Amino acid sequence: MVNEQDKEDVYNYIKSIISELDKKADRPNVVIEEVLAWTYFQKYLTKVIFEFLLEPSEPFITNGEENERITNLIHTRLIKDWEFQEASVHLRNVQNIIFNSTQTRTLLKLYQKILHEDYVPINNSPEQQELLASGLVTIEAGKFRVANRIYKQVFNQNWIDKNLNKNQQKSPKVNSVDELVPQNNPPQDSERRASEVARVFAYLFIVILGVSFISLLLFLILKSSQSSSSNSARSISACQKFSYELDEALKKPQDRLNVIKKGLLWRQEKGISLNEQCEDFRKNLEKSGITPSDMENKLNQVLRQEAQIKIDTNQLEEAVDILCKISDEYESMDDLKSIFQRWELTRGTKIQNKINQVKSSCPAAQY
């Protein structure tokens, strides 16, 4: 969760430079959104990026250039060679906090799970508290997440692997087998034989019970899959036609709404992805030596295009509704989440309320 004081400090800083920023960009508000999408209100990073932008040598940012220019600036001035860049001292400080810990390896493993968005239950353990205190991660909507996109790109899997190898912990030595095995008086022969016979019968009973259970389970799964496959599959001709319609919708805006309506109806009717519904069609293409297109992702792209029209015309509530229909399989889901986070922070209470209303059922709002 963003510290409210940090957020207020960042907003106050932006207010203090807004007049200068007006002279450096056609759309200073978009520039601000792009910067915050990278820093997520981290004070030092936010300030240093704006300082870069306000340098006299930095060219004017025209309408539509904001994303590319700011992305390039961050990569060249902060992320690239961050271990040596003067402006990247903050990133080195974050790294030092991790390295100076007495449990560096534990922190790296915990951070690795968070980086890959694995579920990590919040239990306020010492390592969780220490990692949170470093600023590298935060808690949003009851989940751990990397604190900002810059951290995510700098402290990536390569960084983790490199430093885990440096911090290999040696396993404790065992002086003898006696240290591992408790010393008990050996049982008498008759007692041992009786115990072994009982164990054999117990083992056989468990095996028989397990085999019976597995057989029943396999039967039920087979029966269920046969039933579901017949109910969920669509005809090859229907899928072929819809695949063509999706391609056309990506080229022709006038076809978009009908295709969206049809795709969402297909999802609702079967409750599974378009790729699963059209598995036979896709297999036929593969047999013919043709790589089948990702129909689910194409529908997501059509939805994204339609949402962009709403965004460009400032119909943000309608855009939220459309973006929320994009499924988890969308290849650029992280970008959508960044958009929602940015809107929630910068677009006022109306959009904040709208996002909060859909948060539980909207993949793009799950951050």
Side-chain angles (χ1 to χ4, degrees):
M1 184 178 295
V2 179
N3 182 287
E4 290 300 320
Q5 185 59 53
D6 286 352
K7 190 186 292 188
E8 185 178 347
D9 291 345
V10 167
Y11 277 136
N12 288 336
Y13 171 73
I14 291 172
K15 288 177 186 175
S16 72
I17 63 165
I18 193 67
S19 59
E20 297 175 69
L21 200 57
D22 280 335
K23 301 172 186 176
K24 299 292 289 186
D26 277 334
R27 299 188 297 175
N29 60 316
V30 177
V31 171
I32 292 168
E33 286 186 16
E34 291 291 343
V35 172
L36 293 180
W38 276 96
T39 67
Y40 205 56
F41 291 93
Q42 205 293 319
K43 287 196 291 186
Y44 175 85
L45 294 174
T46 303
K47 186 175 180 182
V48 78
I49 292 169
F50 278 118
E51 286 176 352
F52 290 153
L53 290 169
L54 296 176
E55 288 176 354
S57 59
E58 191 64 29
F60 189 85
I61 302 176
T62 58
N63 190 334
E65 284 187 331
E66 296 89 357
N67 180 277
E68 182 181 358
R69 286 281 302 281
I70 289 165
T71 298
N72 289 340
L73 179 74
I74 290 170
H75 274 277
T76 55
R77 302 286 295 272
L78 277 176
I79 295 176
K80 184 181 178 182
D81 298 327
W82 64 273
E83 292 175 299
F84 310 103
Q85 295 244 37
E86 182 179 351
S88 303
V89 62
H90 168 78
L91 300 175
R92 294 192 291 277
N93 288 340
V94 172
Q95 176 177 256
N96 290 338
I97 292 172
I98 303 298
F99 288 175
N100 291 336
S101 169
T102 57
Q103 49 181 354
T104 296
R105 188 173 177 80
T106 302
L107 295 181
L108 288 171
K109 287 188 171 182
L110 174 60
Y111 173 69
Q112 181 173 239
K113 291 181 180 179
I114 296 168
L115 177 67
H116 294 294
E117 299 184 1
D118 293 341
Y119 175 67
V120 177
I122 299 171
N123 56 24
N124 294 320
S125 62
E127 58 268 24
Q128 287 188 3
Q129 293 180 26
E130 189 170 352
L131 195 59
L132 282 167
S134 74
L136 185 54
V137 302
T138 185
I139 295 175
E140 289 286 343
K143 289 174 61 177
F144 281 106
R145 60 180 289 276
V146 182
N148 58 65
R149 285 169 65 189
I150 295 176
Y151 289 172
K152 206 168 189 177
Q153 294 211 10
V154 170
F155 305 114
N156 54 23
Q157 186 60 51
N158 289 337
W159 177 80
I160 294 171
D161 292 339
K162 174 184 173 184
N163 292 295
L164 273 177
N165 291 335
K166 284 183 181 177
N167 288 277
Q168 287 286 357
Q169 292 179 337
K170 295 181 180 179
S171 301
K173 291 183 179 179
V174 178
N175 294 326
S176 70
V177 175
D178 292 340
E179 294 180 17
L180 293 177
V181 182
Q183 299 300 309
N184 296 314
N185 292 326
Q188 298 296 323
D189 287 346
S190 59
E191 292 176 352
R192 186 167 61 247
R193 281 196 295 272
S195 175
E196 288 173 353
V197 170
R199 279 202 299 271
V200 169
F201 276 108
Y203 175 75
L204 287 173
F205 175 75
I206 291 170
V207 168
I208 293 169
L209 190 64
V211 169
S212 301
F213 175 75
I214 291 171
S215 300
L216 177 61
L217 188 61
L218 288 173
F219 171 75
L220 292 174
I221 290 172
L222 181 61
K223 188 174 180 181
S224 173
S225 65
Q226 288 173 343
S227 173
S228 63
S229 63
S230 61
N231 291 332
S232 62
R234 293 192 183 271
S235 70
I236 292 175
S237 59
C239 291
Q240 184 176 16
K241 179 183 177 184
F242 191 43
S243 179
Y244 172 77
E245 290 171 352
L246 285 167
D247 288 331
E248 289 299 297
L250 288 170
K251 303 173 190 172
K252 301 175 183 177
Q254 62 269 27
D255 296 339
R256 198 180 290 146
L257 290 177
N258 287 334
V259 169
I260 288 174
K261 184 177 179 181
K262 182 175 179 178
L264 295 178
L265 182 62
W266 275 29
R267 279 183 185 168
Q268 184 179 358
E269 286 176 347
K270 302 294 185 180
I272 56 176
S273 73
L274 302 185
N275 290 338
E276 292 173 291
Q277 294 181 41
C278 293
E279 187 175 356
D280 291 340
F281 165 62
R282 290 164 59 80
K283 284 181 178 177
N284 271 10
L285 290 178
E286 288 177 341
K287 288 177 183 176
S288 304
I290 302 171
T291 302
S293 60
D294 188 334
M295 294 178 64
E296 184 69 21
N297 201 50
K298 281 200 287 190
L299 177 58
N300 286 331
Q301 289 173 8
V302 174
L303 286 163
R304 181 67 180 87
Q305 286 184 350
E306 185 63 24
Q308 190 60 48
I309 298 297
K310 302 298 183 184
I311 294 170
D312 292 342
T313 54
N314 207 31
Q315 301 177 68
L316 297 187
E317 289 183 272
E318 291 87 344
V320 168
D321 287 331
I322 297 170
L323 291 172
C324 282
K325 292 179 173 64
I326 294 177
S327 65
D328 281 321
E329 291 86 352
Y330 184 48
E331 58 191 1
S332 300
M333 181 56 73
D334 284 346
D335 292 337
L336 294 189
K337 290 182 179 181
S338 296
I339 290 172
F340 271 52
Q341 287 176 311
R342 192 162 66 245
W343 285 356
E344 197 171 10
L345 293 168
T346 63
R347 290 293 184 170
T349 55
K350 196 172 182 181
I351 291 300
Q352 289 174 1
N353 292 337
K354 179 68 176 179
I355 293 174
N356 285 329
Q357 286 173 9
V358 301
K359 187 161 280 189
S360 61
S361 58
C362 177
Q366 302 298 314
Y367 44 81

